[in-house]
Amino acid sequence: MRRIVIGITSLEQHIEAVKANPEHYRPRCCPHCGIKLLWRHGHYERKAGRQLEQRSLNPVPICRYLCSGCQRTCSRLPECIAPRRWYDWSVQQEALKPRLKGCSAGHRADYGGPDERTVDRWWQWLKARSDLFEFHLRARFAELGRAAGFDALWRQVFASLGLARAMAILDHELSVP
Ligand SMILES: [Zn+2]
């Protein structure tokens, strides 16, 4: 299931797209039963801007769709919002960066950022799933072939694709996070 819409990289862009082109968010088929007939079904609101400068954008609307077969609802998120995570991908990337060997420190949120326990959880998640992520990313991006080992690979992913885009791409094959 493609739960993440690639290319919508900021909350501002997302809010604009929901207004101007909500079709963009329509899933191709129902993630529950596979039927391809989905109706617009309003939206729900989600808090997404955790950083200070984004907070005024909260809550952001997420388009909802109703399946004509099983009557369940589904929705898709823009690339900038992480499914099932409180913090968006860019915050996760900046928090994880200093843990990678050879990476310059990421800029930390001055306040309201994730605590160390949360960052630990993300770090354990990345380590646990890295082999699988790596397999799919290397198959797609030949230039990652030169990065040897966990630290080098993720340094390069962060510097080139960025965590948000990498996860949006991976979400086509697997379920992240
Ligand atoms: Zn369905």
Side-chain angles (χ1 to χ4, degrees):
M1 155 78 171
R2 301 181 171 213
R3 289 177 306 168
I4 304 176
V5 178
I6 289 191
I8 301 198
T9 55
S10 72
L11 291 181
E12 287 87 349
Q13 200 187 344
H14 165 68
I15 291 165
E16 198 46 49
V18 168
K19 264 191 257 165
N21 187 17
E23 278 309 293
H24 210 55
Y25 289 95
R26 182 189 293 276
R28 276 188 207 151
C29 58
C30 170
H32 310 293
C33 75
I35 280 182
K36 290 188 176 157
L37 194 52
L38 296 156
W39 292 312
R40 274 300 295 281
H41 191 63
H43 67 271
Y44 70 92
E45 292 186 328
R46 189 190 144 135
K47 264 192 173 179
R50 309 292 170 199
Q51 289 120 305
L52 200 53
E53 68 278 9
Q54 298 175 335
R55 285 192 191 158
S56 61
L57 299 171
N58 281 326
V60 297
I62 306 290
C63 299
R64 198 156 43 192
Y65 293 86
L66 179 71
C67 171
S68 62
C70 68
Q71 305 292 313
R72 292 165 80 180
T73 58
C74 57
S75 53
R76 297 168 77 208
L77 294 172
E79 179 181 319
C80 55
I81 299 180
R84 301 205 295 270
R85 292 250 171 105
W86 180 265
Y87 290 98
D88 66 27
W89 295 118
S90 62
V91 174
Q92 296 175 49
Q93 173 172 317
E94 291 310 308
L96 289 168
K97 251 189 199 172
R99 299 193 177 206
L100 294 172
K101 280 188 210 90
C103 213
S104 58
H107 50 83
R108 294 191 54 96
D110 17 358
Y111 92 83
D115 58 31
E116 280 306 302
R117 268 216 331 263
T118 305
V119 181
D120 268 337
R121 252 194 350 260
W122 296 339
W123 180 246
Q124 296 310 330
W125 160 78
L126 190 63
K127 286 208 293 200
R129 308 222 40 204
S130 187
D131 284 350
L132 191 59
F133 291 165
E134 183 176 340
F135 172 77
H136 288 285
L137 287 173
R138 283 196 200 274
R140 222 174 140 137
F141 299 98
E143 63 273 23
L144 292 175
R146 288 193 302 271
F150 176 88
D151 295 86
L153 175 82
W154 289 102
R155 257 196 334 261
Q156 200 165 328
V157 170
F158 287 1
S160 54
L161 289 168
L163 185 62
R165 178 63 53 91
M167 291 301 132
I169 289 166
L170 286 169
D171 199 68
H172 290 182
E173 345 258 348
L174 335 148
S175 187
V176 297

